[in-house]
Every structure is written in structure tokens, then in C-alpha cells.
Amino acid sequence: MKFFIDTANLDQIKEMQELGIIDGVTTNPTLLAKEGAEPTEQLRKICEIVDGPVSGEVIGLTTEEMVKEARELAKIASNIVIKIPFTKDGIKAVNILEPEGIKTNVTLVFSQNQVLIAAKAGASYISPFIGRLMDNGQNEIDFLWECMDILNSYDFKSELIVASVRNTRHVIESAKIGAHIATIPFAVLDKMFKHPNTDQGLEDFLKDWEKLQSKLKK
Ligand code: G3P
């Protein structure tokens, strides 16, 4: 499973990139607003750090506005992917952009119906928001299984990006399901590195090593 990082923060992207575990980046208007920088410039900087796909979202609501914005965003770098909200206008925009070679990531996806339609439209990526479904009391893992089942049943080109990831369990469940990609916030990625037994084990090994050194000196 590929790991994308779900952030527009350059330091966070650099830190995970240096660990060699990042295959791409997803942003959205909220994440870019958090950074306070000019969005196009920020996306350009992200594309300089990461070779893999970098998603930036359109703001327009009509097909015409989305297509116009997408064509501009696509000029930033060859690895830019255009996030398109799941609406009828959005799906029309996907139908126009994909044949032009502009990759799309259909976002704000909350149902199996939406996954099927986005796949039929030929989106490169589809992003179901599992954390927000969980917040609404829905079983987000069962939902994911069904989404992957739909994609695996046919020859769709779309890759599923598990989005709105809230915890490390979400990442593991995504991997068990065989999701193509999970886009993971920095804090969750950071937690995936930690285990108290590893810290304790390392401390014990070093203590025992020191004891051996003192013994050998006597
Ligand atoms: O990739 C989509 C993601 O940014 C949404 O996450 O935590 O705002 O539901 P969240």
C-alpha cells in the first residue's frame, strides 16, 4: 500500500520524505489555509520535495470553473493531481480532464454509489473520507471493504485513496483490505513508528551492553 501524507506543511512533508516512506501528498483548502501561504506557491514547493502525486483542490463549483482552475493548477508541475469534489459538475469535469492527461482525485466521497460513479468517469484516484463517516456513527471499515470490492470487480483504472484517516488502526485496516493508498496525517504517521516495547527493549540492550563493558574492564 502506498502512503501519502495528508498535509500542506512543508516541514512535516520533509520529515516523512527523509524517512523514505512517502509516495505522495494530498492537500485540501482547509490544509492550505492552515499554512497561510499563497496556495499555488505552496503546492509548487511541495512538488519540489515529493516526486509522487501531489493533490491540490479546485474551488469552483461549475464544470467550467473546475476545468479552468484544473488546467492552471496542472501547470505547477507534472506530478500535480487535481482534487475534484464529488458533484455532477465535478464528474463532468473528470470526464473532460482525464482524456487531456490531467489526473483527477475525486474527493468528498461518502458512499459506494459515489465510488462506482467516479470509477466509471475514469478518475485516477477516488478518496472516501472514512474518519468523517466514523464521526457520524457509520462502520467505516465495512464501507471500505465494499468500496474495494467494487473496484476489484472490474477493470477500473481508479486507485482508492483512503482519506480522513484518524488513527493507526485505520491504516492497518486499509492495508488488510488491500486499499491502493492511504493518505495519512503527520501525527498518525508519527504514531506508527512508536511502540513502548521497542523503547524499553533498546534501553535494556544498552544497559546490558554497558554492564558487559564494565565487567571486561575489570
Ligand atoms: O484527505 C482528506 C482529509 O484531509 C480530510 O480529513 O480529518 O478533515 O476529515 P478530515
Side-chain angles (χ1 to χ4, degrees):
M1 184 174 70
K2 288 178 198 157
F3 280 8
F4 288 3
I5 185 166
D6 195 30
T7 183
N9 182 281
L10 300 179
D11 291 335
Q12 292 183 351
I13 294 167
K14 275 184 204 149
E15 183 174 335
M16 290 301 164
Q17 169 76 3
E18 279 165 16
L19 287 164
I21 60 163
I22 293 305
D23 303 295
V25 178
T26 51
T27 70
N28 61 36
T30 303
L31 293 171
L32 281 161
K34 230 186 243 178
E35 298 312 308
E38 200 284 312
T40 305
E41 231 3 79
Q42 192 74 359
L43 285 168
R44 195 185 314 281
K45 286 181 184 161
I46 295 171
C47 288
E48 280 166 14
I49 302 169
V50 176
D51 290 334
V54 173
S55 289
E57 190 159 339
V58 293
I59 301 301
L61 296 177
T62 66
T63 303
E64 199 186 349
E65 286 166 346
M66 289 184 205
V67 168
K68 193 168 169 234
E69 263 182 77
R71 287 178 182 148
E72 280 311 305
L73 285 171
K75 289 179 191 161
I76 293 175
S78 58
N79 53 335
I80 278 281
V81 171
I82 311 299
K83 255 188 171 180
I84 304 275
F86 186 97
T87 58
K88 284 183 178 170
D89 276 79
I91 291 301
K92 281 190 211 162
V94 171
N95 276 306
I96 295 169
L97 294 167
E98 288 283 343
E100 287 180 16
I102 296 177
K103 289 193 170 168
T104 58
N105 172 1
V106 176
T107 187
L108 289 168
V109 166
F110 293 95
S111 78
Q112 296 86 334
N113 293 324
Q114 292 174 327
V115 168
L116 185 55
I117 289 170
K120 281 181 73 69
S124 294
Y125 303 98
I126 304 173
S127 294
F129 278 28
I130 64 163
R132 294 190 193 187
L133 283 175
M134 180 186 76
D135 295 344
N136 287 335
Q138 193 169 328
N139 187 324
E140 75 283 20
I141 307 304
D142 286 352
F143 166 69
L144 262 192
W145 276 102
E146 289 198 24
C147 293
M148 276 313 291
D149 213 9
I150 290 166
L151 291 184
N152 288 336
S153 298
Y154 298 95
D155 198 20
F156 290 127
K157 72 167 188 182
S158 312
E159 288 187 90
L160 196 88
I161 304 181
V162 180
S164 185
V165 165
R166 294 270 197 269
N167 51 53
T168 57
R169 176 47 56 185
H170 279 163
V171 182
I172 299 310
E173 293 296 340
S174 302
K176 281 164 63 183
I177 288 165
H180 306 98
I181 302 153
T183 187
I184 313 169
F186 178 87
V188 176
L189 275 172
D190 204 42
K191 275 203 185 113
M192 290 176 74
F193 277 87
K194 293 177 183 154
H195 198 285
N197 287 10
T198 305
D199 299 340
Q200 189 59 55
L202 186 58
E203 202 183 311
D204 292 346
F205 282 158
L206 292 177
K207 263 189 213 154
D208 291 340
W209 190 256
E210 283 309 314
K211 274 187 215 159
L212 173 65
Q213 300 308 309
S214 325
K215 227 187 235 175
L216 290 174
K217 272 183 202 154
K218 282 178 192 164

